[in-house]
């Protein structure tokens, strides 16, 4: 048997996966003495570092006791489940991390279900046992129950448990007896995860990931399932639909530490990167030149939400971005589809607009934020859930929502969720918090997080995952208040904002350029109000005693991209440029809005 182990690290968001990979890299002496590496080494793009989450799965490898361990770090957020689904195909076992206080969370269930159904051997790591009021034994029982409910095999139920703290850099088989290193975990990997199997025969390798280099172009990454892949070897590329393209491999790389090392051949069981193959997609099979055999195509859960992406048509079009045409937008969206399997792009009747299907608000907002940073200008519409007809019944996606809140504000959360057609299923104490579980339509979750955090003073912990398609639950009330809409194009003045403060709360500061139809604030009533913020004070050469009062303006409310996506209604767009995020009405002119008002009533 060859000395290779392939493991994926899976967990709910923020349970410590990337921190654990850091400690494994350090303890296996990947870095030279005194090298400054920083924290969260694998979260290497700006968005991942800012948000503190993993978005794209990464591969690294370490050597431990003469065994090569390939480690795949996966995202923990439900919206990036597509990443997890495809990379698990490269693993023979999984490390399931679980927070010693929070226990099994919605995403823990989702990723565990995927891993168990693929027959992977699990090792459970109960992490963060250094936390106050942690409950490692209870969490172990909870995980066992979860495995049982997910119909794990007897071999999978007989899992090894390791306790420890990734942050403090120790692991142990007994949480009351801390060690000073993470080697107990590494020993458990060697003892429990099966070695990568050697399969003789003709070549088979499935492409499960992509990389890109400005020197050699697109690079295919995957695990060799059978046979041996060699440099300069002619191969067949079997597409998802069964079509076959002939190709040749130029270069081969395996993963070593954080980088790649060029090799002449790779045997079955190891993970490698292939250069030189053109026109491939994730899920395609690299097979023998003369007798190509296809591997089973990766199945990805369908998207549950869509948004309209269109070119920027505001009066400020082209002032802040580099890529502004519909051709730029189309090319960028189709390029994203190559590597983002859970994403789908559909062309609409208009040549300037595209419907983009994704897993949720975060999944789509990360794409928009990435495009914005690359210099794109675009507009996006209100997120809509995907409705299906099943056996003649109109059905919509329903999610399981879990909220942990202090007991004294649990009532407010229940009220907010039930207003949005949520059903309370579980209410039980969890430490000093109240643990609530609901079934709620996916439509009801859009815009809910802000309201819950406001009602609980920011103390609620929310998580949700897709459950199933269920019959339509009826209309859900949208935004309670109307908005303040600009009447004119120009610069805002402090004088005008001061005079209109009793009409609502503003989203913009004085001295900002605005245009007619832009959403400037929230009205105190439920209807929209058209206002003029560009009006200055009438100046005369006479001083009136007592009328020159100081202008006192409340700070403007600043929305993040996700908050804007949850805030807008069907008759509004978000204008996204590299510099600004503005909310606006689809019809900028007030008369046009009145004429077209009926279009949006039933949405």
């Amino acid at each position: 048997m060859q000395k290779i182990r392939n493991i994926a690290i899976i967990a709910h968001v923020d349970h410590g996966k990337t921190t654990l990979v850091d400690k494994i890299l350090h303890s296996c002496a990947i870095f030279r003495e005194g090298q400054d590496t920083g924290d969260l080494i694998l979260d290497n793009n700006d968005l991942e570092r800012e948000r503190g989450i993993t978005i794209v799965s990464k591969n690294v490898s370490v050597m431990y006791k003469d065994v090569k361990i390939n480690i795949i770090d996966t995202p923990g957020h439900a919206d990036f489940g597509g990443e997890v689904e495809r990379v698990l195909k490269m693993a023979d076992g999984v490390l399931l991390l679980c927070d010693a206080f929070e226990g099994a969370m919605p995403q823990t269930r989702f990723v565990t279900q995927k891993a168990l159904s693929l027959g992977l051997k699990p090792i459970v790591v109960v992490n963060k046992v250094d936390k106050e009021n942690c409950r490692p034994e209870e969490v172990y029982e909870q995980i066992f129950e979860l495995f049982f409910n997910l119909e794990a095999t007897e071999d999978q139920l007989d899992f090894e448990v390791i306790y420890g703290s990734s942050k403090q850099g120790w692991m142990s088989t007994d949480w009351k007896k801390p060690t000073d290193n993470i080697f107990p975990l590494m020993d458990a990997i060697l003892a429990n995860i099966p070695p990568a199997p050697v399969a003789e025969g003709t070549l088979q390798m499935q492409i499960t990931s992509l990389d890109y280099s400005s020197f050699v172009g697109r690079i295919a990454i995957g695990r060799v399932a059978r046979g041996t892949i060699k440099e300069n070897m002619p191969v067949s590329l079997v597409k998802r639909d069964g079509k076959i393209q002939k190709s040749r491999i130029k270069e081969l790389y395996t993963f070593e530490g954080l980088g790649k090392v060029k090799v002449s051949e790779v045997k079955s069981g190891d993970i490698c990167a292939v250069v030189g193959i053109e026109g491939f997609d994730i899920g395609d099979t690299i097979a023998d030149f003369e007798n190509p055999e296809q591997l089973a195509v990766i199945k990805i859960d369908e998207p549950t939400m869509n948004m309209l992406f269109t070119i920027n048509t505001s009066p400020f079009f082209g002032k802040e971005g580099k890529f502004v045409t519909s051709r730029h937008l189309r090319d960028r969206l189709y390029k994203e589809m190559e590597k983002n399997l859970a994403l789908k792009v559909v062309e609409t009747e208009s040549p300037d607009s595209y419907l983009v299907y994704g897993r949720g608000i975060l999944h789509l907002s990360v794409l928009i934020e990435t495009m914005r940073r690359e210099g794109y200008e675009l507009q996006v519409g209100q997120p809509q859930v995907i409705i299906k007809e099943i056996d003649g019944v109109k059905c919509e996606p329903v999610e399981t929502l879990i909220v942990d809140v202090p007991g004294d504000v649990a009532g407010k959360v229940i009220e907010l969720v039930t207003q949005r057609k949520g059903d309370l299923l579980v209410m039980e104490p969890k430490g000093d918090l109240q643990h609530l579980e609901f079934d709620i339509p996916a439509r009801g979750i859009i815009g809910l997080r802000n309201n819950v955090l406001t009602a609980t003073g920011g103390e609620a912990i929310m998580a949700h995952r897709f459950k199933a398609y269920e019959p339509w639950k009826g209309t859900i009330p949208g935004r309670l208040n109307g908005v303040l809409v600009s009447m004119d194009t120009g610069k805002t003045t402090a004088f005008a904002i001061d005079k209109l403060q009793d009409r609502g709360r503003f989203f913009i500061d004085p001295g900002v350029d605005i245009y007619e139809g832009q959403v400037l604030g929230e009205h105190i009533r439920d209807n929209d109000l058209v206002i003029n913020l560009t009006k200055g004070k009438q100046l005369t050469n006479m001083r009136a005693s007592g009328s020159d009062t100081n202008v006192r303006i409340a700070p403007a409310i600043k929305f993040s991209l996700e908050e804007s996506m949850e805030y807008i209604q069907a008759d509004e767009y978000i204008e996204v440029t590299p510099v600004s995020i503005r909310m606006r009405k689809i019809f900028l002119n007030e008369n046009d809005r009145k004429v077209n008002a009926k279009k949006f009533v039933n949405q």
Side-chain angles (χ1 to χ4, degrees):
M1 297 295 279
Q2 58 185 353
K3 294 185 171 181
I4 296 177
R5 303 285 192 279
N6 297 317
I7 58 161
I9 298 187
I10 59 175
H12 183 79
V13 64
D14 218 16
H15 280 198
K17 296 179 292 302
T18 308
T19 308
L20 178 61
V21 177
D22 282 8
K23 294 296 185 265
I24 292 174
L25 290 171
H26 281 292
S27 61
C28 292
I30 288 292
F31 308 107
R32 64 177 188 272
E33 202 68 34
Q35 185 177 346
D36 180 26
T37 56
D39 296 334
L40 303 175
I41 301 157
L42 289 194
D43 282 353
N44 51 14
N45 77 33
D46 293 344
L47 266 180
E48 290 182 321
R49 286 203 164 275
E50 283 168 26
R51 290 166 183 258
I53 57 171
T54 302
I55 294 170
V56 184
S57 58
K58 321 277 191 324
N59 297 43
V60 290
S61 81
V62 295
M63 292 297 290
Y64 179 72
K65 294 187 175 173
D66 291 337
V67 177
K68 180 182 182 182
I69 301 174
N70 285 316
I71 301 167
I72 307 157
D73 182 24
T74 65
H77 206 285
D79 282 22
F80 307 112
E83 285 284 311
V84 183
E85 287 165 27
R86 63 183 172 83
V87 296
L88 285 179
K89 280 280 188 88
M90 294 197 277
D92 296 304
V94 290
L95 290 186
L96 173 62
L97 254 76
C98 208
D99 187 301
F101 171 68
E102 290 185 350
M105 296 289 278
Q107 187 65 5
T108 315
R109 185 186 180 94
F110 172 80
V111 290
T112 307
Q113 190 170 8
K114 297 285 174 201
L116 295 180
S117 63
L118 286 170
L120 302 179
K121 175 77 180 171
I123 293 177
V124 174
V125 180
V126 179
N127 194 20
K128 305 192 182 184
V129 296
D130 53 320
K131 263 189 173 180
E132 287 177 33
N133 60 24
C134 65
R135 42 194 192 109
E137 279 101 353
E138 276 179 58
V139 170
Y140 166 70
E141 297 292 336
Q142 210 180 356
I143 296 284
F144 187 86
E145 201 174 304
L146 175 67
F147 277 39
F148 183 77
N149 292 339
L150 294 175
E151 299 174 357
T153 61
E154 283 191 21
D155 182 44
Q156 287 171 330
L157 281 172
D158 183 25
F159 54 82
E160 178 83 11
V161 184
I162 302 288
Y163 300 93
S165 163
S166 303
K167 197 172 182 183
Q168 295 180 352
W170 65 268
M171 291 283 157
S172 171
T173 48
D174 182 351
W175 68 281
K176 291 173 184 162
K177 297 177 184 168
T179 59
D180 56 359
N181 57 48
I182 63 161
F183 294 138
L185 172 63
M186 306 302 288
D187 292 330
I189 291 171
L190 298 191
N192 292 279
I193 303 293
V198 177
E200 297 298 334
T202 56
L203 171 66
Q204 270 187 321
M205 169 182 157
Q206 189 157 43
I207 299 168
T208 47
S209 205
L210 289 183
D211 201 356
Y212 183 80
S213 152
S214 50
F215 297 107
V216 295
R218 294 167 77 223
I219 302 168
I221 297 171
R223 185 170 87 159
V224 183
R226 190 175 74 190
T228 305
I229 189 166
K230 296 178 182 170
E231 203 174 23
N232 250 339
M233 177 182 189
V235 291
S236 298
L237 179 70
V238 187
K239 305 290 286 177
R240 292 173 77 103
D241 57 8
K243 287 182 184 161
I244 295 172
Q245 288 173 215
K246 300 299 182 187
S247 193
R248 182 179 288 274
I249 287 159
K250 288 183 185 160
E251 293 175 352
L252 274 180
Y253 294 86
T254 56
F255 292 89
E256 191 170 297
L258 290 170
K260 299 188 191 83
V261 176
K262 192 172 177 184
V263 289
S264 57
E265 65 172 50
V266 177
K267 291 191 166 59
S268 65
D270 204 355
I271 295 171
C272 67
V274 179
V275 173
I277 292 179
E278 294 293 324
F280 63 84
D281 293 307
I282 289 172
D284 294 352
T285 305
I286 297 174
D288 186 62
F289 186 73
E290 287 166 357
N291 304 312
E293 291 177 47
Q294 188 175 15
L295 285 161
V297 176
I298 300 169
K299 282 191 175 65
I300 294 283
D301 288 354
E302 288 187 8
T304 56
M305 196 168 276
N306 67 20
M307 282 178 82
L308 187 76
F309 279 52
T310 178
I311 59 168
N312 189 5
T313 55
S314 84
F316 295 167
F317 152 82
K319 284 187 176 178
E320 298 170 350
K322 217 169 20 172
F323 307 110
V324 293
T325 66
S326 55
R327 183 178 60 82
H328 287 138
L329 180 63
R330 183 183 188 280
D331 292 351
R332 179 64 181 82
L333 289 175
Y334 278 92
K335 185 179 159 199
E336 184 67 26
M337 257 179 26
E338 288 177 358
K339 62 176 188 289
N340 198 332
L341 275 198
L343 201 76
K344 201 167 98 187
V345 178
V346 176
E347 296 192 9
T348 63
E349 293 167 5
S350 160
D352 298 335
S353 305
Y354 300 90
L355 270 179
V356 180
Y357 291 75
R359 281 282 177 86
I361 295 263
L362 186 65
H363 186 206
L364 292 166
S365 77
V366 164
L367 167 62
I368 297 166
E369 183 65 42
T370 308
M371 288 172 68
R372 180 186 164 202
R373 291 178 184 210
E374 289 169 4
Y376 285 83
E377 266 192 30
L378 66 151
Q379 288 178 159
V380 294
Q382 186 189 25
Q384 306 281 350
V385 298
I386 297 164
I387 293 156
K388 289 183 179 175
E389 195 163 297
I390 303 170
D391 302 330
V393 180
K394 182 181 175 186
C395 294
E396 63 174 331
V398 171
E399 309 223 352
T400 301
L401 171 69
I402 292 182
V403 189
D404 292 337
V405 289
D408 56 337
V409 287
K412 289 180 185 173
V413 174
I414 294 168
E415 186 185 347
L416 284 169
V417 177
T418 46
Q419 277 172 0
R420 290 164 174 262
K421 301 281 190 263
D423 298 324
L424 180 63
L425 306 175
V426 177
M427 183 174 181
E428 59 191 20
K430 176 179 173 183
D432 53 355
L433 298 175
Q434 200 72 25
H435 177 76
L436 310 171
E437 287 185 28
F438 304 88
D439 275 357
I440 180 172
R443 291 177 297 143
I445 288 181
I446 299 172
L448 180 65
R449 185 179 297 273
N450 279 348
N451 296 348
V452 167
L453 290 176
T454 306
T456 59
E459 291 197 47
I461 301 163
M462 276 176 71
H464 55 90
R465 67 178 171 85
F466 174 68
K467 182 189 171 197
Y469 269 86
E470 290 182 8
W472 180 261
K473 301 268 200 254
T475 54
I476 291 175
R479 195 170 60 203
L480 298 175
N481 294 34
V483 288
L484 303 171
V485 185
S486 175
M487 179 193 292
D488 212 348
T489 301
K491 255 192 174 43
T492 55
T493 65
F495 173 78
I497 293 177
D498 181 45
K499 294 294 179 215
L500 289 164
Q501 279 193 109
D502 57 343
R503 296 295 183 158
R505 305 181 304 163
F506 286 100
F507 305 155
I508 43 103
D509 294 309
V512 175
D513 285 315
I514 58 168
Y515 53 80
E516 182 187 2
Q518 187 177 332
V519 173
L520 304 177
E522 184 173 82
H523 192 197
I524 51 172
R525 302 215 168 97
D526 60 359
N527 63 318
D528 292 351
L529 182 69
V530 180
I531 57 170
N532 184 355
L533 283 193
T534 60
K535 193 168 62 174
K537 186 182 174 192
Q538 292 298 316
L539 297 177
T540 68
N541 58 0
M542 301 286 289
R543 274 200 68 185
S545 63
S547 65
D548 283 353
T549 51
N550 286 337
V551 174
R552 288 208 180 112
I553 297 174
I557 299 164
K558 299 295 182 194
F559 279 88
S560 68
L561 180 58
E562 276 107 75
E563 286 167 347
S564 304
M565 286 162 72
E566 294 189 339
Y567 186 77
I568 62 167
Q569 297 298 295
D571 64 336
E572 291 160 2
Y573 277 156
I574 305 168
E575 178 192 350
V576 183
T577 74
V579 181
S580 323
I581 294 172
R582 303 182 187 96
M583 289 180 276
R584 53 160 281 189
K585 292 289 181 184
I586 292 177
F587 295 99
L588 298 178
N589 183 281
E590 189 182 0
N591 291 331
D592 293 344
R593 286 201 292 278
K594 285 176 179 170
V595 170
N596 292 284
K598 284 183 183 169
K599 276 188 186 178
F600 304 109
V601 170
N602 298 321
Q603 290 196 21

